[in-house]
């Protein structure tokens, strides 16, 4: 029998970046906010204590900060005619669990967005014509502009303590010749901190990129280049390039995370409460199905608890946001056959390629063991629509970068082509290559398609008896064409670096999605935003079209993937949604946009 608790003004499902942002914003508005996190309490102490946190076996190999797939996972298939099977081992993506979520284990790459990607379909139709977009590609506009989001990008960077080099501020060019990105949109303020120092790898890459006519710039990094205090009064220390960022809690308080940058201020507010090890199983609806009455969750002791609330903010990982809506009966599930429904629609990922350049022992010593998660040098010459897509014949773009985040002793063992796969020859190759190689990535945008979608699995269930989420996904011809193009363009930089050997890891004709090959944890879509309830699950304020007191935040709102990492846009949209709740919804609860 379930236990019903006293009502809260707001219940937040999940406590990563979006959960922390919405909780902070709504407590500041005077509301009593409860955050429910399915995983354990995590913080710099004890999860990031030195030297215990610098343990590759525990954190990256055994995946301490990631979801336990024996309790909750997804099923995967390539097409709707295949049978989906549970993903039993983390590989292609790494969802987090516990306080901070993916915001605790992320790397720290902190981009904004190219403005045209917010109006993707409109832009391509205007420049290239409607017929340029392939049949079955379902890209859409976000329904919000860069100009509307710019103040929220600016504030998020101040909260994160982001390091970088601006190109233009309030229309004035300030970053030419200083490491700024000439393709970046205008900003209202400089970055809170100057760009971090660059690794040898990044500097070699930048020189080579410039030599072939590209425009290298300093990557924006949520790893601090110096001491910093954010608008919430939270202090950060300068990054020391230890190389343990992605997959780890930062022991230096240098990598932005919900745990470091927001929670210390939130926990001082008596209107805020955080409950951990609380697995929300559904959002409860009123009899008419038009409003939410709260949530039901399973607590750490296995008891079922009903938590009433006036507002429900769905702030878990992209997969979990979509699954929560489907389990709760909010919105119409997507049907790819009839192309109707919205929940589960437009699932997208990332379209990666990697090139490694190997040097002789007398050429360059690259110190690959050091690094910072967001630090590096990038080029945007082939990102977004910064080049003519007409002759290329595909939709989408990709930044290229060297982002040396620290090569660990177990996984950081690249070898040059021709090296034996085992034995003394392999050992010799590892020793020769370890500090004499540069790795660069094409971090391609991934488009959405009618054939790629999310739904509830009819067979497999989680530890609580609820259907798992089913992922129907495969690479499409447009993805492969784009990836091959980017491999060629990035190869020009690799060749200009003058190494002794080059290896390329990317897609080939006929490539299929492989669950073993890590692509990033940048999963998008499924509860997409827009201005039409027939084609989007939430409106431009991330409010459910069907249940007005439910707001769904995170990359689940993206109608397609970005070339950039999603966290910057996720944070800006969270602040955008929070402002709409504070300034509009609380004054007159109801739909913020008419259907």
């Amino acid at each position: 029998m379930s236990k019903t608790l006293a009502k809260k003004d707001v219940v937040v499902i999940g406590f990563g970046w979006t959960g922390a942002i919405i909780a902070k914003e709504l407590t500041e508005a005077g509301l009593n906010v409860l955050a429910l996190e399915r995983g354990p309490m995590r913080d710099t102490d004890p999860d990031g204590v030195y030297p215990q946190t610098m343990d590759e076996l525990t954190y990256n190999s055994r995946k301490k900060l990631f979801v336990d797939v024996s309790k909750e996972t997804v099923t995967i298939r390539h097409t709707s005619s295949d049978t989906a099977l549970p993903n039993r081992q983390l590989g292609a993506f790494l969802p987090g669990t516990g306080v901070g979520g993916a915001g605790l284990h992320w790397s720290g790459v902190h981009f904004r967005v190219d403005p045209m990607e917010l109006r993707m379909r409109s832009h391509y139709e205007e420049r290239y014509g409607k017929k340029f977009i392939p049949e079955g590609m379902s890209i859409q506009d976000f329904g919000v502009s860069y100009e509307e989001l710019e103040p929220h990008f600016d504030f998020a960077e101040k909260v994160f303590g982001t390091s970088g080099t601006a190109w233009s501020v309030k229309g004035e060019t300030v970053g030419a010749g200083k490491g700024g990105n000439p393709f970046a949109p205008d900003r209202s303020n400089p970055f809170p901190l100057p760009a971090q120092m660059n690794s040898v790898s990044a500097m070699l890459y930048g020189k080579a990129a410039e030599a072939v006519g590209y425009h290298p710039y300093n990557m924006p990094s949520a790893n601090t280049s110096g001491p910093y205090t954010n608008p919430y009064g939270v202090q950060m220390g300068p990054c020391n390039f230890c190389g343990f960022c992605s997959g780890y809690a930062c022991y230096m308080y240098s990598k932005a995370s919900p745990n470091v940058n927001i929670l210390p201020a939130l926990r001082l507010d008596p209107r805020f409460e955080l409950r951990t090890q609380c697995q929300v199983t559904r959002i409860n609806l009123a009899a008419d199905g038009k409003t939410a009455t709260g949530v039901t969750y399973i607590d750490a002791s296995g008891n079922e608890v009903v938590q009433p609330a006036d507002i429900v903010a769905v702030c878990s990982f992209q997969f979990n946001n979509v699954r929560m809506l489907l389990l709760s009966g909010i919105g119409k599930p997507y049907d790819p056959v009839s192309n109707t429904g919205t929940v589960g629609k437009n699932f997208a990922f990332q379209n990666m390629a990697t090139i490694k350049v190997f040097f002789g022992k007398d050429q360059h010593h690259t110190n690959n063991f050091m690094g910072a998660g967001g630090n590096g040098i990038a080029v945007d010459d082939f990102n977004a629509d910064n080049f003519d897509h007409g002759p290329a014949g595909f939709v989408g773009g990709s930044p290229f970068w060297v982002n040396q985040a620290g090569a660990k002793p177990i996984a950081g063992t690249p070898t040059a082509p021709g090296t034996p796969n085992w034995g003394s020859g392999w050992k010799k190759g590892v020793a020769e290559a370890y500090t004499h190689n540069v790795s660069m990535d094409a971090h391609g945008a991934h488009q959405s398609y009618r054939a790629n979608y999310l739904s509830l699995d009819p067979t497999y269930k989680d530890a609580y008896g609820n259907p798992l989420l089913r992922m129907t996904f495969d690479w499409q011809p447009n993805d492969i064409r784009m990836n091959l193009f980017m491999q060629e363009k990035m190869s020009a930089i690799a060749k200009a670096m003058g190494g002794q050997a080059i290896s390329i890891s990317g897609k080939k004709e006929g490539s299929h999605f492989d669950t073993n090959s890590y692509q990033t944890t940048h999963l998008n879509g499924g509860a997409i935003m827009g201005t039409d309830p027939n084609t989007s699950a939430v409106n431009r304020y991330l409010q459910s079209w069907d249940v007005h007191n439910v707001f769904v935040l995170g990359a689940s709102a993206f109608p397609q993937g970005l070339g950039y990492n999603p966290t910057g846009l996720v944070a800006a949209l969270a602040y955008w949604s929070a402002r709409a709740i504070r300034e509009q919804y609380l004054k007159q609860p109801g739909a913020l946009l008419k259907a």
Side-chain angles (χ1 to χ4, degrees):
M1 182 176 179
S2 60
K3 177 182 179 181
T4 300
L5 304 179
K7 181 188 285 189
K8 295 282 187 177
D9 295 324
V10 183
V11 64
V12 177
I13 303 173
F15 195 80
W17 275 121
T18 57
I21 288 170
I22 204 75
K24 186 70 173 73
E25 287 289 305
L26 297 187
T27 53
E28 287 184 359
L31 301 181
N32 292 310
V33 178
L34 166 66
L36 298 173
E37 167 56 46
R38 66 176 177 176
M41 180 63 202
R42 299 197 194 278
D43 213 342
T44 305
D45 184 6
D47 299 281
V49 170
Y50 178 86
Q52 289 92 331
T53 189
M54 301 174 79
D55 179 350
E56 184 185 6
L57 182 64
T58 295
Y59 287 91
N60 263 5
S61 299
R62 295 175 178 166
K63 298 178 171 52
K64 181 178 179 179
L65 300 184
F66 305 129
V67 66
D68 182 352
V69 293
S70 70
K71 294 181 179 179
E72 183 178 357
T73 186
V74 296
T75 65
I76 302 175
R77 60 183 182 174
H78 283 148
T79 72
S80 57
S81 61
D82 298 331
T83 299
L85 296 173
N87 187 37
R88 299 293 191 187
Q89 186 171 339
L90 292 173
F93 41 82
L94 301 169
T97 191
V99 172
L104 180 63
H105 74 68
W106 76 312
S107 63
V109 176
H110 190 193
F111 283 100
R112 293 192 170 190
V113 68
D114 190 288
M116 65 78 54
E117 290 193 294
L118 294 174
R119 53 186 311 273
M120 190 83 170
R121 178 168 284 274
S122 294
H123 176 90
Y124 269 87
E125 289 181 351
E126 291 164 4
R127 183 172 180 183
Y128 302 105
K130 293 184 177 180
K131 292 183 179 180
F132 189 79
I133 300 174
E135 180 69 25
M137 183 179 286
S138 53
I139 59 175
Q140 295 183 191
D141 295 354
F142 275 70
V144 64
S145 69
Y146 174 80
E147 289 72 25
E148 289 174 305
L149 291 180
E150 200 285 330
H152 306 294
F153 281 119
D154 180 69
F155 186 69
E157 288 168 352
K158 290 183 171 75
V159 172
F160 283 46
T162 305
S163 307
T165 305
W167 177 261
S168 68
V169 177
K170 297 178 181 176
E172 180 182 354
T173 300
V174 297
K178 300 177 182 179
N181 177 12
F183 297 103
D186 194 42
R187 309 166 53 88
S188 57
N189 288 291
F191 282 93
L193 289 168
Q196 290 183 284
M197 296 176 65
N198 282 303
S199 64
V200 172
S201 296
M203 289 188 285
L204 291 171
Y205 173 83
K207 290 178 182 178
E210 195 167 25
V212 298
Y214 300 162
H215 301 81
Y217 64 91
N218 295 319
M219 289 176 65
S221 168
N223 313 115
T224 51
S225 60
Y228 181 72
T229 302
N230 80 1
Y232 299 143
V234 177
Q235 295 180 321
M236 302 178 72
C239 173
N240 68 353
F241 286 78
C242 76
F244 286 81
C245 284
S246 184
Y248 303 84
C250 176
Y251 67 89
M252 290 290 292
Y253 296 83
S254 306
K255 182 181 72 174
S257 70
N259 315 64
V260 168
N261 298 69
I262 301 178
L263 183 57
L266 249 182
R267 60 162 51 108
L268 299 177
D269 195 321
R271 292 166 296 196
F272 173 72
E273 181 185 355
L274 172 62
R275 296 179 197 159
T276 59
Q277 296 182 317
C278 295
Q279 179 83 27
V280 177
T281 56
R282 65 182 178 275
I283 300 168
N284 302 321
L285 301 179
D288 61 4
K290 295 181 179 180
T291 57
T293 60
V295 302
T296 295
Y297 69 89
I298 308 299
D299 68 14
S301 300
N303 302 310
E304 186 175 77
V305 180
V306 175
Q307 178 59 65
D310 292 324
I311 297 174
V312 176
V314 187
C315 297
S316 53
F317 187 67
Q318 177 269 344
F319 271 158
N320 301 328
N321 281 359
V322 178
R323 182 169 178 249
M324 185 57 58
L325 295 182
L326 291 171
L327 290 175
S328 305
I330 298 175
K332 184 178 180 181
Y334 178 63
D335 178 4
V337 177
S338 63
N339 201 27
T340 58
T342 58
V343 181
K345 176 184 177 182
N346 280 32
F347 172 65
F349 202 177
Q350 197 94 55
N351 193 358
M352 299 282 293
T354 299
I355 296 181
K356 295 184 187 296
V357 181
F358 296 89
F359 301 105
K361 64 180 181 179
D362 297 323
Q363 282 185 286
H364 300 293
H365 195 278
T366 50
N367 287 338
N368 301 71
F369 55 85
M370 60 169 283
N375 173 255
I377 289 181
V379 297
D380 266 8
D381 296 71
F382 299 98
N383 190 28
D385 196 28
N386 297 335
F387 62 104
D388 186 357
H389 279 77
F394 59 80
V395 174
S398 175
F400 307 155
W401 58 54
V402 163
N403 167 221
Q404 183 171 306
K408 317 302 185 295
I410 298 174
T413 54
T415 54
T419 303
N421 292 328
W422 63 283
S424 59
W426 178 81
K427 292 178 182 179
K428 182 175 182 291
V430 169
E432 290 175 348
Y434 184 68
T435 57
H436 296 91
N437 78 87
V438 170
S439 180
M440 62 190 77
D441 295 315
H443 203 267
H446 184 252
Q447 309 313 311
S448 49
Y449 304 90
R450 185 169 173 174
N452 292 341
Y453 66 100
L454 302 173
S455 56
L456 292 179
D457 193 279
T459 304
Y460 295 97
K461 301 181 185 301
D462 66 10
Y464 305 95
N466 293 313
L468 295 179
L469 192 71
R470 181 174 61 185
M471 170 180 164
T472 304
F473 179 80
D474 203 2
W475 306 121
Q476 304 298 318
N478 182 87
D479 306 330
I480 295 172
R481 283 197 301 272
M482 190 192 90
N483 197 268
L484 292 171
F485 176 92
M486 297 305 171
Q487 290 177 41
E488 178 187 350
K489 297 302 181 183
M490 192 165 60
S491 291
I493 307 176
K495 292 173 183 176
M497 296 180 77
Q500 293 186 345
I502 295 174
S503 68
I504 300 176
S505 175
K507 293 172 183 60
K508 301 175 182 178
E509 292 293 343
S511 289
H512 292 283
F513 173 63
D514 178 5
T515 58
N516 295 309
S517 178
Y518 185 68
Q519 282 285 311
T520 72
T521 306
H522 306 155
L523 306 171
N524 312 283
I528 64 176
M529 63 188 295
T531 56
D532 182 351
N534 294 310
T535 58
S536 57
V538 297
N539 64 25
R540 69 195 300 262
Y541 301 109
L542 308 188
Q543 178 189 40
S544 168
W545 287 107
D546 301 273
V547 183
H548 69 77
N549 61 338
V550 170
F551 293 79
V552 188
L553 289 75
S556 57
F558 294 10
Q560 53 275 329
L562 311 176
Y564 289 151
N565 298 47
T567 307
L569 181 55
V570 164
L573 286 171
Y575 280 112
W576 159 260
S577 178
R579 188 180 72 173
I581 296 172
R582 292 179 66 166
E583 297 181 0
Q584 300 177 57
Y585 186 83
L586 295 180
K587 294 177 181 177
Q588 188 174 354
L592 297 175
L593 202 66
K594 291 184 178 180

